[in-house]
Amino acid sequence: MNELKHGADFRSVLADFKLSDSAKKTLAQTKLVLLVGPSSSGRNTAINKLVEMGGYHYIISDTTREKRMKDGEPIEQDGREYWFRTEEEILDDLQHGEFLEAAIIHDQQVSGISIRELDKANQAGLTAITDIEPQGAEWIHGLKPDSIIMFVVPPNFDDWIGRLKRRSEMPDDELRRRLHTACNEIKAALERDYFQFVVNDELDNTVKDIDAVAKNGKQNEEKQAQGRQVAEQLFEAAQSYLGD
């Protein structure tokens, strides 16, 4: 199990974290697209397709945790799943304001988006894109209000449950935990006007929709209304399933 050696230092710097002046300049120059959504909404699949199409740089987060192992060999690669860095390296960058956002996860690791990744996107003339949790999206929206933030939802509750169960054998308590988390995420998105809703029904169409929003800066009004309606229906169906 990973343990943070510098937990107190991380908590201190994150409690009063500020971007450096150079980081602010990089952020202002970056076209940034963030995909938010509940578990199994298909964000990562859509991002992979967009990167394959060209025009996008996928932001790879930094983390302090060790690579996952199988039979004594690492099954993760540096620069693929994460940039695997030491606590001291990430702490130093945080203290110098060289992260867009970061968080302590389960009191075991620190993960976040380094400004280096935005520099890479800018130097290549690409749009920076990543998936992110609602709290991270809210933080970044406060720093960069022109960020394009989309909330991706499955087309209906039955399809969503099917996707969740196809990912792995999932006991009911785990399914209920994910649905509780998803309800909080959907509620937060519906309450904030900066989310642009995208329904992930058929992958190619979803990728085209995300690409169009990224390029135009705004979702089609009809599709936005449809997406909000689907999100509301998912929220109600999940609450009914949970008995809330």
Side-chain angles (χ1 to χ4, degrees):
M1 181 181 291
N2 296 294
E3 292 185 5
L4 283 174
K5 295 180 292 182
H6 302 289
D9 293 325
F10 279 117
R11 282 186 283 273
S12 176
V13 71
L14 289 172
D16 192 33
F17 179 72
K18 293 181 177 65
L19 270 69
S20 69
D21 289 341
S22 61
K24 289 177 183 177
K25 183 177 180 180
T26 297
L27 181 59
Q29 295 171 342
T30 304
K31 186 169 185 180
L32 183 60
V33 174
L34 306 174
L35 298 190
V36 185
S39 179
S40 293
S41 60
R43 293 173 295 167
N44 292 108
T45 304
I47 288 173
N48 290 339
K49 196 80 170 177
L50 287 160
V51 172
E52 287 176 11
M53 286 169 48
Y56 292 89
H57 169 76
Y58 176 56
I59 295 171
I60 300 172
S61 295
D62 288 9
T63 187
T64 62
R65 76 163 172 79
E66 300 290 333
K67 296 174 186 174
R68 291 194 172 97
M69 308 290 286
K70 183 177 181 180
D71 299 327
E73 297 292 330
I75 59 173
E76 295 178 309
Q77 293 180 16
D78 199 40
R80 187 179 67 186
E81 286 82 8
Y82 287 96
W83 294 110
F84 295 93
R85 305 179 68 206
T86 67
E87 287 191 29
E88 291 77 13
E89 289 171 336
I90 290 182
L91 182 59
D92 184 66
D93 280 357
L94 283 169
Q95 289 168 338
H96 286 89
E98 294 302 309
F99 267 78
L100 176 57
E101 60 86 32
I104 298 172
I105 301 171
H106 306 310
D107 285 324
Q108 295 177 356
Q109 68 192 62
V110 174
S111 297
I113 297 172
S114 169
I115 293 297
R116 296 188 329 275
E117 287 291 297
L118 303 190
D119 278 326
K120 290 177 186 176
N122 288 335
Q123 290 168 12
L126 301 174
T127 296
I129 189 168
T130 193
D131 62 302
I132 197 167
E133 299 306 307
Q135 297 90 338
E138 185 167 14
W139 165 259
I140 294 172
H141 174 72
L143 294 171
K144 184 176 173 64
D146 65 350
S147 300
I148 299 168
I149 306 175
M150 289 176 248
F151 196 85
V152 182
V153 292
N156 56 66
F157 187 72
D158 288 342
D159 186 276
W160 184 23
I161 293 295
R163 293 184 193 183
L164 282 165
K165 291 185 175 179
R166 281 196 298 273
R167 288 183 65 174
S168 62
E169 291 187 16
M170 187 180 299
D172 187 60
D173 61 339
E174 171 66 9
L175 177 61
R176 293 178 67 84
R177 185 187 67 78
R178 293 194 182 213
L179 289 177
H180 271 298
T181 298
C183 282
N184 292 334
E185 292 170 340
I186 295 170
K187 185 173 184 290
L190 291 168
E191 291 173 347
R192 288 160 175 78
D193 60 6
Y194 55 79
F195 279 106
Q196 307 199 54
F197 288 84
V198 175
V199 179
N200 184 9
D201 192 349
E202 198 280 322
L203 179 60
D204 287 341
N205 289 336
T206 302
V207 168
K208 288 178 184 177
D209 285 345
I210 293 171
D211 188 45
V213 176
K215 288 175 177 173
N216 299 330
K218 191 172 183 180
Q219 175 65 290
N220 172 285
E221 288 186 12
E222 182 179 346
K223 289 186 175 182
Q224 175 73 352
Q226 177 195 7
R228 285 189 63 89
Q229 183 178 39
V230 171
E232 290 166 354
Q233 291 169 348
L234 290 171
F235 179 77
E236 292 171 1
Q239 286 205 309
S240 177
Y241 182 95
L242 294 166
D244 292 345

